[in-house]
Amino acid sequence: MKIAVDVMGGDFAPKAIVEGALLAANELTEQVRIVLIGNQADIQEVLGERTLPATIEIVHTTEVIAMGEHPTKALSQKPNSSIGVGFKLLKERVVDAFCSAGNTGAMHVGALFSVKAVEGLIRPAIVGFAPQVSGKMAVLLDIGANADCKPEMLEQFGEIGSLYAQYTHGVDNPRVALVNIGEEEQKGSLVAQAAHQLMKATKKYNFIGNLEGKELFTDKADVIVCDGFTGNVILKMGESIYDILKSRGVDDEFVNHMNYEAAGGSPILGVNGNVIIAHGISSPLAIKSMILLAKRQVESDVYTKIKQALS
């Protein structure tokens, strides 16, 4: 197994990325190799007198896609960027997963242009994770790829989210819920009402109905479906709760799972490959978690399961 990591992406690159890869290598077997994609001189500067373990290799690149660059334009104008090369290696199956804390738009566009969306899927989604009071983590999608969604898209998010929970989290017959402002199926926006009817009628997964905001963390559902606008608000709210309570000296296991470093990254679900996006401010610990998440996702072969389900 080979997991490629964009060394040049993120607010604290390349140092945080290299240090995170070294942390991950300490916890991985020799069968898992980490491929660092980026400027070799910059990587060596971070290493100093240290040498890379045998399980880490470098693919040298000369260009960088900055955080504020236009995704499509940057990818076309910078083919030798760390993101561009990462997707080339993923498309050619040289690596099994590609991870980056860099330009989110470039990662999303790159995935669609290289490995492409699974046939039959309207739009891929970005997955987040919502901690539950039971200690489990629920799958939350979408968290930002699709700010506006049609009912049919939300219904499909339920299906691919259910498959992800089943094969990556090991949940048997995952409970799928739709974020709404009330339990009744007549509640919410016109999109939410229409999505509810589609999800209620499907036989592809275990739809349990609407989920109110007060129930997001109560272990009522294994998969939480919403549009990307709502999902991003939920995700950022959770992160802010962690930051506020940490600043006040609160150390709580449930709250600690809201720390972005715990999950490490967010998979793009519904493309023909394993693509993980990390937070731009990712620390070495977050990068380590991202790499370990990528390993679990590769082992689950979930993108193939989604492809088979939608074919």
Side-chain angles (χ1 to χ4, degrees), residues 154-190:
L154 295 173
E155 191 275 327
Q156 279 195 333
F157 291 169
E159 183 176 3
I160 63 175
S162 178
L163 291 167
Y164 188 90
Q166 179 182 350
Y167 290 104
T168 304
H169 288 187
V171 180
D172 184 41
N173 196 28
R175 300 162 296 168
V176 180
L178 176 68
V179 173
N180 210 328
I181 59 172
E183 292 182 359
E184 301 86 354
E185 56 188 84
Q186 302 87 356
K187 287 286 185 72
S189 65
L190 294 177

PDB file of all heavy atoms in Angstrom, residues 154-190:
ATOM      1  N   LEU A 154     -29.227  14.483  -2.043  1.00  0.00           N
ATOM      2  CA  LEU A 154     -29.271  14.117  -0.626  1.00  0.00           C
ATOM      3  C   LEU A 154     -29.612  12.640  -0.460  1.00  0.00           C
ATOM      4  O   LEU A 154     -29.057  11.955   0.403  1.00  0.00           O
ATOM      5  CB  LEU A 154     -30.291  14.985   0.109  1.00  0.00           C
ATOM      6  CG  LEU A 154     -29.955  16.492   0.175  1.00  0.00           C
ATOM      7  CD1 LEU A 154     -31.117  17.261   0.783  1.00  0.00           C
ATOM      8  CD2 LEU A 154     -28.687  16.722   0.988  1.00  0.00           C
ATOM      9  N   GLU A 155     -30.512  12.150  -1.314  1.00  0.00           N
ATOM     10  CA  GLU A 155     -30.867  10.729  -1.256  1.00  0.00           C
ATOM     11  C   GLU A 155     -29.646   9.867  -1.564  1.00  0.00           C
ATOM     12  O   GLU A 155     -29.403   8.839  -0.917  1.00  0.00           O
ATOM     13  CB  GLU A 155     -31.994  10.444  -2.251  1.00  0.00           C
ATOM     14  CG  GLU A 155     -32.623   9.058  -2.106  1.00  0.00           C
ATOM     15  CD  GLU A 155     -31.869   7.979  -2.869  1.00  0.00           C
ATOM     16  OE1 GLU A 155     -31.313   8.293  -3.929  1.00  0.00           O
ATOM     17  OE2 GLU A 155     -31.825   6.836  -2.371  1.00  0.00           O
ATOM     18  N   GLN A 156     -28.831  10.276  -2.538  1.00  0.00           N
ATOM     19  CA  GLN A 156     -27.616   9.527  -2.867  1.00  0.00           C
ATOM     20  C   GLN A 156     -26.569   9.644  -1.770  1.00  0.00           C
ATOM     21  O   GLN A 156     -25.825   8.694  -1.503  1.00  0.00           O
ATOM     22  CB  GLN A 156     -27.032  10.017  -4.196  1.00  0.00           C
ATOM     23  CG  GLN A 156     -27.706   9.425  -5.420  1.00  0.00           C
ATOM     24  CD  GLN A 156     -26.881   9.632  -6.672  1.00  0.00           C
ATOM     25  OE1 GLN A 156     -26.103  10.582  -6.782  1.00  0.00           O
ATOM     26  NE2 GLN A 156     -27.050   8.750  -7.645  1.00  0.00           N
ATOM     27  N   PHE A 157     -26.493  10.804  -1.122  1.00  0.00           N
ATOM     28  CA  PHE A 157     -25.554  10.957  -0.003  1.00  0.00           C
ATOM     29  C   PHE A 157     -25.865   9.924   1.077  1.00  0.00           C
ATOM     30  O   PHE A 157     -24.962   9.403   1.729  1.00  0.00           O
ATOM     31  CB  PHE A 157     -25.627  12.360   0.584  1.00  0.00           C
ATOM     32  CG  PHE A 157     -25.090  13.448  -0.305  1.00  0.00           C
ATOM     33  CD1 PHE A 157     -25.299  14.783   0.002  1.00  0.00           C
ATOM     34  CD2 PHE A 157     -24.377  13.146  -1.462  1.00  0.00           C
ATOM     35  CE1 PHE A 157     -24.807  15.797  -0.807  1.00  0.00           C
ATOM     36  CE2 PHE A 157     -23.884  14.157  -2.284  1.00  0.00           C
ATOM     37  CZ  PHE A 157     -24.103  15.485  -1.955  1.00  0.00           C
ATOM     38  N   GLY A 158     -27.146   9.647   1.262  1.00  0.00           N
ATOM     39  CA  GLY A 158     -27.532   8.629   2.232  1.00  0.00           C
ATOM     40  C   GLY A 158     -26.968   7.271   1.860  1.00  0.00           C
ATOM     41  O   GLY A 158     -26.492   6.519   2.716  1.00  0.00           O
ATOM     42  N   GLU A 159     -26.998   6.962   0.565  1.00  0.00           N
ATOM     43  CA  GLU A 159     -26.502   5.665   0.107  1.00  0.00           C
ATOM     44  C   GLU A 159     -24.993   5.546   0.243  1.00  0.00           C
ATOM     45  O   GLU A 159     -24.478   4.551   0.799  1.00  0.00           O
ATOM     46  CB  GLU A 159     -26.905   5.429  -1.355  1.00  0.00           C
ATOM     47  CG  GLU A 159     -26.471   4.069  -1.873  1.00  0.00           C
ATOM     48  CD  GLU A 159     -26.955   3.792  -3.291  1.00  0.00           C
ATOM     49  OE1 GLU A 159     -27.590   4.677  -3.898  1.00  0.00           O
ATOM     50  OE2 GLU A 159     -26.699   2.664  -3.782  1.00  0.00           O
ATOM     51  N   ILE A 160     -24.242   6.533  -0.251  1.00  0.00           N
ATOM     52  CA  ILE A 160     -22.782   6.425  -0.191  1.00  0.00           C
ATOM     53  C   ILE A 160     -22.279   6.597   1.247  1.00  0.00           C
ATOM     54  O   ILE A 160     -21.272   5.989   1.633  1.00  0.00           O
ATOM     55  CB  ILE A 160     -22.086   7.426  -1.150  1.00  0.00           C
ATOM     56  CG1 ILE A 160     -22.373   8.876  -0.766  1.00  0.00           C
ATOM     57  CG2 ILE A 160     -22.512   7.143  -2.586  1.00  0.00           C
ATOM     58  CD1 ILE A 160     -21.607   9.894  -1.630  1.00  0.00           C
ATOM     59  N   GLY A 161     -23.004   7.376   2.046  1.00  0.00           N
ATOM     60  CA  GLY A 161     -22.639   7.509   3.457  1.00  0.00           C
ATOM     61  C   GLY A 161     -22.863   6.216   4.210  1.00  0.00           C
ATOM     62  O   GLY A 161     -22.066   5.831   5.074  1.00  0.00           O
ATOM     63  N   SER A 162     -23.933   5.512   3.872  1.00  0.00           N
ATOM     64  CA  SER A 162     -24.229   4.229   4.502  1.00  0.00           C
ATOM     65  C   SER A 162     -23.153   3.207   4.157  1.00  0.00           C
ATOM     66  O   SER A 162     -22.693   2.441   5.019  1.00  0.00           O
ATOM     67  CB  SER A 162     -25.602   3.727   4.045  1.00  0.00           C
ATOM     68  OG  SER A 162     -25.892   2.461   4.608  1.00  0.00           O
ATOM     69  N   LEU A 163     -22.719   3.183   2.896  1.00  0.00           N
ATOM     70  CA  LEU A 163     -21.662   2.271   2.482  1.00  0.00           C
ATOM     71  C   LEU A 163     -20.346   2.599   3.180  1.00  0.00           C
ATOM     72  O   LEU A 163     -19.599   1.700   3.585  1.00  0.00           O
ATOM     73  CB  LEU A 163     -21.489   2.327   0.962  1.00  0.00           C
ATOM     74  CG  LEU A 163     -22.638   1.730   0.147  1.00  0.00           C
ATOM     75  CD1 LEU A 163     -22.515   2.123  -1.320  1.00  0.00           C
ATOM     76  CD2 LEU A 163     -22.659   0.206   0.286  1.00  0.00           C
ATOM     77  N   TYR A 164     -20.073   3.881   3.341  1.00  0.00           N
ATOM     78  CA  TYR A 164     -18.841   4.293   4.023  1.00  0.00           C
ATOM     79  C   TYR A 164     -18.862   3.833   5.484  1.00  0.00           C
ATOM     80  O   TYR A 164     -17.880   3.279   5.980  1.00  0.00           O
ATOM     81  CB  TYR A 164     -18.667   5.813   3.953  1.00  0.00           C
ATOM     82  CG  TYR A 164     -17.327   6.283   4.462  1.00  0.00           C
ATOM     83  CD1 TYR A 164     -16.239   6.392   3.596  1.00  0.00           C
ATOM     84  CD2 TYR A 164     -17.123   6.594   5.806  1.00  0.00           C
ATOM     85  CE1 TYR A 164     -14.998   6.795   4.050  1.00  0.00           C
ATOM     86  CE2 TYR A 164     -15.886   6.997   6.270  1.00  0.00           C
ATOM     87  CZ  TYR A 164     -14.828   7.104   5.390  1.00  0.00           C
ATOM     88  OH  TYR A 164     -13.590   7.487   5.848  1.00  0.00           O
ATOM     89  N   ALA A 165     -19.978   4.066   6.157  1.00  0.00           N
ATOM     90  CA  ALA A 165     -20.100   3.656   7.561  1.00  0.00           C
ATOM     91  C   ALA A 165     -19.987   2.140   7.698  1.00  0.00           C
ATOM     92  O   ALA A 165     -19.367   1.633   8.640  1.00  0.00           O
ATOM     93  CB  ALA A 165     -21.430   4.141   8.134  1.00  0.00           C
ATOM     94  N   GLN A 166     -20.549   1.424   6.756  1.00  0.00           N
ATOM     95  CA  GLN A 166     -20.522  -0.038   6.812  1.00  0.00           C
ATOM     96  C   GLN A 166     -19.107  -0.593   6.627  1.00  0.00           C
ATOM     97  O   GLN A 166     -18.648  -1.421   7.425  1.00  0.00           O
ATOM     98  CB  GLN A 166     -21.442  -0.610   5.735  1.00  0.00           C
ATOM     99  CG  GLN A 166     -21.468  -2.138   5.696  1.00  0.00           C
ATOM    100  CD  GLN A 166     -22.355  -2.684   4.583  1.00  0.00           C
ATOM    101  OE1 GLN A 166     -23.106  -1.943   3.941  1.00  0.00           O
ATOM    102  NE2 GLN A 166     -22.264  -3.977   4.349  1.00  0.00           N
ATOM    103  N   TYR A 167     -18.416  -0.116   5.593  1.00  0.00           N
ATOM    104  CA  TYR A 167     -17.133  -0.732   5.243  1.00  0.00           C
ATOM    105  C   TYR A 167     -15.929  -0.086   5.934  1.00  0.00           C
ATOM    106  O   TYR A 167     -14.911  -0.751   6.139  1.00  0.00           O
ATOM    107  CB  TYR A 167     -16.943  -0.702   3.724  1.00  0.00           C
ATOM    108  CG  TYR A 167     -17.895  -1.645   3.029  1.00  0.00           C
ATOM    109  CD1 TYR A 167     -19.017  -1.167   2.355  1.00  0.00           C
ATOM    110  CD2 TYR A 167     -17.687  -3.019   3.078  1.00  0.00           C
ATOM    111  CE1 TYR A 167     -19.898  -2.037   1.722  1.00  0.00           C
ATOM    112  CE2 TYR A 167     -18.568  -3.896   2.457  1.00  0.00           C
ATOM    113  CZ  TYR A 167     -19.662  -3.399   1.787  1.00  0.00           C
ATOM    114  OH  TYR A 167     -20.542  -4.269   1.170  1.00  0.00           O
ATOM    115  N   THR A 168     -16.026   1.189   6.291  1.00  0.00           N
ATOM    116  CA  THR A 168     -14.893   1.844   6.943  1.00  0.00           C
ATOM    117  C   THR A 168     -15.026   1.835   8.458  1.00  0.00           C
ATOM    118  O   THR A 168     -14.039   1.681   9.177  1.00  0.00           O
ATOM    119  CB  THR A 168     -14.750   3.294   6.439  1.00  0.00           C
ATOM    120  OG1 THR A 168     -14.626   3.285   5.004  1.00  0.00           O
ATOM    121  CG2 THR A 168     -13.506   3.946   7.015  1.00  0.00           C
ATOM    122  N   HIS A 169     -16.257   2.005   8.965  1.00  0.00           N
ATOM    123  CA  HIS A 169     -16.473   2.015  10.413  1.00  0.00           C
ATOM    124  C   HIS A 169     -16.959   0.666  10.947  1.00  0.00           C
ATOM    125  O   HIS A 169     -17.086   0.489  12.157  1.00  0.00           O
ATOM    126  CB  HIS A 169     -17.488   3.105  10.785  1.00  0.00           C
ATOM    127  CG  HIS A 169     -16.942   4.489  10.660  1.00  0.00           C
ATOM    128  ND1 HIS A 169     -17.634   5.608  11.076  1.00  0.00           N
ATOM    129  CD2 HIS A 169     -15.766   4.950  10.177  1.00  0.00           C
ATOM    130  CE1 HIS A 169     -16.911   6.685  10.842  1.00  0.00           C
ATOM    131  NE2 HIS A 169     -15.773   6.312  10.286  1.00  0.00           N
ATOM    132  N   GLY A 170     -17.284  -0.250  10.038  1.00  0.00           N
ATOM    133  CA  GLY A 170     -17.723  -1.571  10.473  1.00  0.00           C
ATOM    134  C   GLY A 170     -19.101  -1.598  11.102  1.00  0.00           C
ATOM    135  O   GLY A 170     -19.394  -2.447  11.950  1.00  0.00           O
ATOM    136  N   VAL A 171     -19.980  -0.678  10.677  1.00  0.00           N
ATOM    137  CA  VAL A 171     -21.329  -0.602  11.230  1.00  0.00           C
ATOM    138  C   VAL A 171     -22.271  -1.461  10.391  1.00  0.00           C
ATOM    139  O   VAL A 171     -22.390  -1.258   9.177  1.00  0.00           O
ATOM    140  CB  VAL A 171     -21.848   0.855  11.259  1.00  0.00           C
ATOM    141  CG1 VAL A 171     -23.256   0.908  11.845  1.00  0.00           C
ATOM    142  CG2 VAL A 171     -20.897   1.740  12.048  1.00  0.00           C
ATOM    143  N   ASP A 172     -22.955  -2.380  11.016  1.00  0.00           N
ATOM    144  CA  ASP A 172     -23.902  -3.239  10.322  1.00  0.00           C
ATOM    145  C   ASP A 172     -25.241  -2.517  10.181  1.00  0.00           C
ATOM    146  O   ASP A 172     -25.804  -2.036  11.168  1.00  0.00           O
ATOM    147  CB  ASP A 172     -24.087  -4.548  11.096  1.00  0.00           C
ATOM    148  CG  ASP A 172     -24.993  -5.528  10.374  1.00  0.00           C
ATOM    149  OD1 ASP A 172     -24.875  -5.640   9.132  1.00  0.00           O
ATOM    150  OD2 ASP A 172     -25.826  -6.164  11.052  1.00  0.00           O
ATOM    151  N   ASN A 173     -25.743  -2.422   8.945  1.00  0.00           N
ATOM    152  CA  ASN A 173     -27.025  -1.765   8.667  1.00  0.00           C
ATOM    153  C   ASN A 173     -27.073  -0.359   9.275  1.00  0.00           C
ATOM    154  O   ASN A 173     -27.904  -0.065  10.140  1.00  0.00           O
ATOM    155  CB  ASN A 173     -28.189  -2.596   9.207  1.00  0.00           C
ATOM    156  CG  ASN A 173     -29.524  -2.173   8.622  1.00  0.00           C
ATOM    157  OD1 ASN A 173     -29.603  -1.668   7.512  1.00  0.00           O
ATOM    158  ND2 ASN A 173     -30.590  -2.372   9.387  1.00  0.00           N
ATOM    159  N   PRO A 174     -26.220   0.549   8.840  1.00  0.00           N
ATOM    160  CA  PRO A 174     -26.133   1.897   9.420  1.00  0.00           C
ATOM    161  C   PRO A 174     -27.461   2.644   9.378  1.00  0.00           C
ATOM    162  O   PRO A 174     -28.213   2.560   8.398  1.00  0.00           O
ATOM    163  CB  PRO A 174     -25.094   2.590   8.530  1.00  0.00           C
ATOM    164  CG  PRO A 174     -24.316   1.481   7.914  1.00  0.00           C
ATOM    165  CD  PRO A 174     -25.286   0.360   7.718  1.00  0.00           C
ATOM    166  N   ARG A 175     -27.725   3.370  10.444  1.00  0.00           N
ATOM    167  CA  ARG A 175     -28.928   4.214  10.521  1.00  0.00           C
ATOM    168  C   ARG A 175     -28.633   5.550   9.848  1.00  0.00           C
ATOM    169  O   ARG A 175     -27.712   6.251  10.233  1.00  0.00           O
ATOM    170  CB  ARG A 175     -29.312   4.443  11.979  1.00  0.00           C
ATOM    171  CG  ARG A 175     -29.628   3.169  12.765  1.00  0.00           C
ATOM    172  CD  ARG A 175     -29.553   3.434  14.262  1.00  0.00           C
ATOM    173  NE  ARG A 175     -28.189   3.806  14.642  1.00  0.00           N
ATOM    174  CZ  ARG A 175     -27.849   4.314  15.838  1.00  0.00           C
ATOM    175  NH1 ARG A 175     -28.766   4.510  16.756  1.00  0.00           N
ATOM    176  NH2 ARG A 175     -26.587   4.631  16.103  1.00  0.00           N
ATOM    177  N   VAL A 176     -29.455   5.898   8.870  1.00  0.00           N
ATOM    178  CA  VAL A 176     -29.257   7.120   8.093  1.00  0.00           C
ATOM    179  C   VAL A 176     -30.348   8.129   8.432  1.00  0.00           C
ATOM    180  O   VAL A 176     -31.539   7.794   8.414  1.00  0.00           O
ATOM    181  CB  VAL A 176     -29.282   6.830   6.578  1.00  0.00           C
ATOM    182  CG1 VAL A 176     -29.072   8.116   5.781  1.00  0.00           C
ATOM    183  CG2 VAL A 176     -28.228   5.790   6.217  1.00  0.00           C
ATOM    184  N   ALA A 177     -29.949   9.364   8.751  1.00  0.00           N
ATOM    185  CA  ALA A 177     -30.917  10.406   9.107  1.00  0.00           C
ATOM    186  C   ALA A 177     -30.670  11.663   8.286  1.00  0.00           C
ATOM    187  O   ALA A 177     -29.550  11.916   7.831  1.00  0.00           O
ATOM    188  CB  ALA A 177     -30.833  10.715  10.595  1.00  0.00           C
ATOM    189  N   LEU A 178     -31.714  12.449   8.114  1.00  0.00           N
ATOM    190  CA  LEU A 178     -31.661  13.703   7.362  1.00  0.00           C
ATOM    191  C   LEU A 178     -31.751  14.880   8.329  1.00  0.00           C
ATOM    192  O   LEU A 178     -32.696  14.945   9.126  1.00  0.00           O
ATOM    193  CB  LEU A 178     -32.810  13.762   6.354  1.00  0.00           C
ATOM    194  CG  LEU A 178     -32.972  15.045   5.540  1.00  0.00           C
ATOM    195  CD1 LEU A 178     -31.801  15.218   4.570  1.00  0.00           C
ATOM    196  CD2 LEU A 178     -34.297  15.027   4.769  1.00  0.00           C
ATOM    197  N   VAL A 179     -30.801  15.799   8.278  1.00  0.00           N
ATOM    198  CA  VAL A 179     -30.842  16.969   9.151  1.00  0.00           C
ATOM    199  C   VAL A 179     -32.042  17.835   8.770  1.00  0.00           C
ATOM    200  O   VAL A 179     -32.227  18.181   7.603  1.00  0.00           O
ATOM    201  CB  VAL A 179     -29.543  17.794   9.044  1.00  0.00           C
ATOM    202  CG1 VAL A 179     -29.658  19.096   9.834  1.00  0.00           C
ATOM    203  CG2 VAL A 179     -28.361  16.979   9.544  1.00  0.00           C
ATOM    204  N   ASN A 180     -32.859  18.192   9.778  1.00  0.00           N
ATOM    205  CA  ASN A 180     -34.048  18.997   9.519  1.00  0.00           C
ATOM    206  C   ASN A 180     -34.408  19.778  10.779  1.00  0.00           C
ATOM    207  O   ASN A 180     -33.787  19.610  11.825  1.00  0.00           O
ATOM    208  CB  ASN A 180     -35.216  18.100   9.074  1.00  0.00           C
ATOM    209  CG  ASN A 180     -36.174  18.820   8.139  1.00  0.00           C
ATOM    210  OD1 ASN A 180     -36.370  20.019   8.245  1.00  0.00           O
ATOM    211  ND2 ASN A 180     -36.776  18.074   7.216  1.00  0.00           N
ATOM    212  N   ILE A 181     -35.426  20.611  10.683  1.00  0.00           N
ATOM    213  CA  ILE A 181     -35.816  21.458  11.818  1.00  0.00           C
ATOM    214  C   ILE A 181     -36.948  20.844  12.636  1.00  0.00           C
ATOM    215  O   ILE A 181     -37.481  21.485  13.534  1.00  0.00           O
ATOM    216  CB  ILE A 181     -36.220  22.870  11.341  1.00  0.00           C
ATOM    217  CG1 ILE A 181     -37.396  22.795  10.352  1.00  0.00           C
ATOM    218  CG2 ILE A 181     -35.028  23.563  10.695  1.00  0.00           C
ATOM    219  CD1 ILE A 181     -37.973  24.156   9.977  1.00  0.00           C
ATOM    220  N   GLY A 182     -37.302  19.616  12.343  1.00  0.00           N
ATOM    221  CA  GLY A 182     -38.337  18.927  13.109  1.00  0.00           C
ATOM    222  C   GLY A 182     -38.381  17.465  12.739  1.00  0.00           C
ATOM    223  O   GLY A 182     -37.827  17.046  11.721  1.00  0.00           O
ATOM    224  N   GLU A 183     -39.039  16.674  13.566  1.00  0.00           N
ATOM    225  CA  GLU A 183     -39.134  15.235  13.312  1.00  0.00           C
ATOM    226  C   GLU A 183     -40.096  14.914  12.175  1.00  0.00           C
ATOM    227  O   GLU A 183     -39.895  13.956  11.431  1.00  0.00           O
ATOM    228  CB  GLU A 183     -39.602  14.513  14.577  1.00  0.00           C
ATOM    229  CG  GLU A 183     -38.608  14.526  15.718  1.00  0.00           C
ATOM    230  CD  GLU A 183     -39.130  13.751  16.911  1.00  0.00           C
ATOM    231  OE1 GLU A 183     -40.265  13.230  16.834  1.00  0.00           O
ATOM    232  OE2 GLU A 183     -38.409  13.661  17.920  1.00  0.00           O
ATOM    233  N   GLU A 184     -41.153  15.709  12.052  1.00  0.00           N
ATOM    234  CA  GLU A 184     -42.202  15.406  11.081  1.00  0.00           C
ATOM    235  C   GLU A 184     -41.686  15.552   9.646  1.00  0.00           C
ATOM    236  O   GLU A 184     -40.933  16.468   9.332  1.00  0.00           O
ATOM    237  CB  GLU A 184     -43.400  16.336  11.284  1.00  0.00           C
ATOM    238  CG  GLU A 184     -44.024  16.252  12.674  1.00  0.00           C
ATOM    239  CD  GLU A 184     -43.336  17.160  13.686  1.00  0.00           C
ATOM    240  OE1 GLU A 184     -42.297  17.778  13.330  1.00  0.00           O
ATOM    241  OE2 GLU A 184     -43.823  17.250  14.833  1.00  0.00           O
ATOM    242  N   GLU A 185     -42.119  14.668   8.767  1.00  0.00           N
ATOM    243  CA  GLU A 185     -41.643  14.693   7.389  1.00  0.00           C
ATOM    244  C   GLU A 185     -42.140  15.897   6.611  1.00  0.00           C
ATOM    245  O   GLU A 185     -41.613  16.214   5.542  1.00  0.00           O
ATOM    246  CB  GLU A 185     -42.009  13.397   6.671  1.00  0.00           C
ATOM    247  CG  GLU A 185     -43.493  13.047   6.675  1.00  0.00           C
ATOM    248  CD  GLU A 185     -43.743  11.652   6.124  1.00  0.00           C
ATOM    249  OE1 GLU A 185     -43.633  10.679   6.886  1.00  0.00           O
ATOM    250  OE2 GLU A 185     -44.036  11.555   4.909  1.00  0.00           O
ATOM    251  N   GLN A 186     -43.155  16.588   7.132  1.00  0.00           N
ATOM    252  CA  GLN A 186     -43.652  17.786   6.457  1.00  0.00           C
ATOM    253  C   GLN A 186     -42.842  19.026   6.824  1.00  0.00           C
ATOM    254  O   GLN A 186     -43.062  20.109   6.275  1.00  0.00           O
ATOM    255  CB  GLN A 186     -45.123  18.051   6.824  1.00  0.00           C
ATOM    256  CG  GLN A 186     -46.080  16.925   6.502  1.00  0.00           C
ATOM    257  CD  GLN A 186     -46.186  15.903   7.615  1.00  0.00           C
ATOM    258  OE1 GLN A 186     -45.477  15.983   8.618  1.00  0.00           O
ATOM    259  NE2 GLN A 186     -47.074  14.919   7.447  1.00  0.00           N
ATOM    260  N   LYS A 187     -41.908  18.896   7.766  1.00  0.00           N
ATOM    261  CA  LYS A 187     -41.123  20.042   8.227  1.00  0.00           C
ATOM    262  C   LYS A 187     -39.976  20.349   7.265  1.00  0.00           C
ATOM    263  O   LYS A 187     -39.559  19.521   6.464  1.00  0.00           O
ATOM    264  CB  LYS A 187     -40.539  19.752   9.621  1.00  0.00           C
ATOM    265  CG  LYS A 187     -41.540  19.771  10.760  1.00  0.00           C
ATOM    266  CD  LYS A 187     -41.945  21.194  11.076  1.00  0.00           C
ATOM    267  CE  LYS A 187     -42.862  21.267  12.307  1.00  0.00           C
ATOM    268  NZ  LYS A 187     -42.155  20.995  13.569  1.00  0.00           N
ATOM    269  N   GLY A 188     -39.433  21.566   7.406  1.00  0.00           N
ATOM    270  CA  GLY A 188     -38.229  21.948   6.686  1.00  0.00           C
ATOM    271  C   GLY A 188     -38.479  22.595   5.344  1.00  0.00           C
ATOM    272  O   GLY A 188     -39.613  22.889   4.958  1.00  0.00           O
ATOM    273  N   SER A 189     -37.402  22.818   4.623  1.00  0.00           N
ATOM    274  CA  SER A 189     -37.479  23.437   3.298  1.00  0.00           C
ATOM    275  C   SER A 189     -38.121  22.485   2.312  1.00  0.00           C
ATOM    276  O   SER A 189     -38.295  21.291   2.579  1.00  0.00           O
ATOM    277  CB  SER A 189     -36.068  23.801   2.823  1.00  0.00           C
ATOM    278  OG  SER A 189     -35.301  22.618   2.640  1.00  0.00           O
ATOM    279  N   LEU A 190     -38.453  23.015   1.144  1.00  0.00           N
ATOM    280  CA  LEU A 190     -39.034  22.168   0.100  1.00  0.00           C
ATOM    281  C   LEU A 190     -38.058  21.075  -0.319  1.00  0.00           C
ATOM    282  O   LEU A 190     -38.460  19.947  -0.605  1.00  0.00           O
ATOM    283  CB  LEU A 190     -39.420  23.027  -1.113  1.00  0.00           C
ATOM    284  CG  LEU A 190     -40.554  24.046  -0.890  1.00  0.00           C
ATOM    285  CD1 LEU A 190     -40.762  24.877  -2.149  1.00  0.00           C
ATOM    286  CD2 LEU A 190     -41.847  23.332  -0.494  1.00  0.00           C
TER     287      LEU A 190
END
